[in-house]
Amino acid sequence: MGDSTAQDEVRQVKKGDQYHHPDLREAMIRVAQELLESEGPSSWTVRAAARIAGVSSGAPYRHFADKDTLLAAVATRGFDDLRTEIATHLDTVGDDPYARFGALGEAYVRFATSRPGRYQIMFGRDILNRALHPELCAAADRSFASLLNEVETAQRSGVLRSDTASAAVAAGAWAVVHGLADLLLSGRLNDIADGDTQALTTTLGRMMFEGLLHREPVTAA
């Protein structure tokens, strides 16, 4: 989502071509996204992004007060892209709650492992004070709401147990896929995943979903 455009921009500058952009703010977000993936969250600078975008080092500050503000814009875009990717994947599996839970996990892990730089910005501590960026907070809330909506729908249909608050169930599901993504990115699950992260995600999702299925309470004899 924007990756190829940013890569084209990077290649243009490296070739010495003049880079024109009608929207500097959008160009800076795209270039920052590319640098986060190629250089890592701790190595890139606003100056480098400006150079790749073909503008002066001071030009980005017309739109971003500081590096934190640019990072917040990148993270905001990331959460919106994640929500869109989840929705797109859900459209392919129909209405079955079991399949939809699996699709949620697969989309989340795929997003994280294919965009590790942006994923770290979205969930890490690189942004000093997220409360100063209401657009970022709103985008993160929208992303979580897509998961919460699936939980509430499954609870209303009687598929998922309703004796646990929907927000708690959604938080538990998020913790599972988020933890899996982090472990995969760190390389700690390489042997277990054996190159098939989708299969591992599906297995964990099934285990979690089955634990939340509606069942009659067991009574003591």
Side-chain angles (χ1 to χ4, degrees):
M1 301 180 183
D3 291 359
S4 59
T5 301
Q7 290 169 354
D8 289 343
E9 291 165 359
V10 171
R11 283 194 290 268
Q12 280 186 327
V13 173
K14 288 182 177 178
K15 290 177 181 177
D17 298 334
Q18 186 175 6
Y19 171 54
H20 300 281
H21 48 72
D23 187 345
L24 177 57
R25 185 179 189 279
E26 180 65 22
M28 288 300 300
I29 292 174
R30 291 201 303 267
V31 173
Q33 288 175 333
E34 176 62 23
L35 282 174
L36 283 167
E37 301 304 341
S38 63
E39 304 295 332
S42 61
S43 300
W44 79 283
T45 64
V46 176
R47 181 182 294 273
R51 183 175 64 254
I52 291 173
V55 298
S56 68
S57 59
Y61 297 104
R62 301 171 192 168
H63 300 280
F64 304 100
D66 48 29
K67 183 178 180 179
D68 236 35
T69 308
L70 177 53
L71 285 176
V74 171
T76 299
R77 181 69 53 81
F79 278 113
D80 286 337
D81 286 349
L82 172 60
R83 186 166 60 97
T84 298
E85 189 156 318
I86 287 174
T88 299
H89 199 40
L90 287 175
D91 285 342
T92 68
V93 297
D95 296 328
D96 176 56
Y98 185 95
R100 292 179 73 83
F101 258 66
L104 274 164
E106 290 166 8
Y108 188 100
V109 172
R110 183 173 60 203
F111 181 93
T113 54
S114 64
R115 303 167 179 83
R118 273 170 282 175
Y119 178 79
Q120 181 171 328
I121 294 301
M122 290 162 62
F123 294 104
R125 298 182 179 180
D126 299 87
I127 299 172
L128 299 178
N129 188 348
R130 290 172 180 259
L132 296 177
H133 307 287
E135 290 186 358
L136 169 56
C137 296
D141 288 344
R142 288 192 298 269
S143 182
F144 181 74
S146 64
L147 171 57
L148 181 60
N149 179 66
E150 293 300 319
V151 169
E152 291 174 340
T153 299
Q155 286 182 323
R156 285 194 299 269
S157 69
V159 175
L160 284 188
R161 56 194 300 169
S162 58
D163 58 349
T164 302
S166 57
V169 175
W174 179 25
V176 169
V177 294
H178 186 79
L180 174 59
D182 278 352
L183 288 169
L184 287 169
L185 288 173
S186 71
R188 291 187 172 90
L189 289 182
N190 287 346
D191 292 339
I192 297 174
D194 196 24
D196 193 347
T197 58
Q198 180 173 330
L200 184 58
T201 304
T202 300
T203 298
L204 291 178
R206 182 176 67 249
M207 291 168 61
M208 182 189 68
F209 189 85
E210 289 176 350
L212 293 169
L213 287 175
H214 175 76
R215 292 185 174 90
E216 294 299 325
V218 177
T219 57

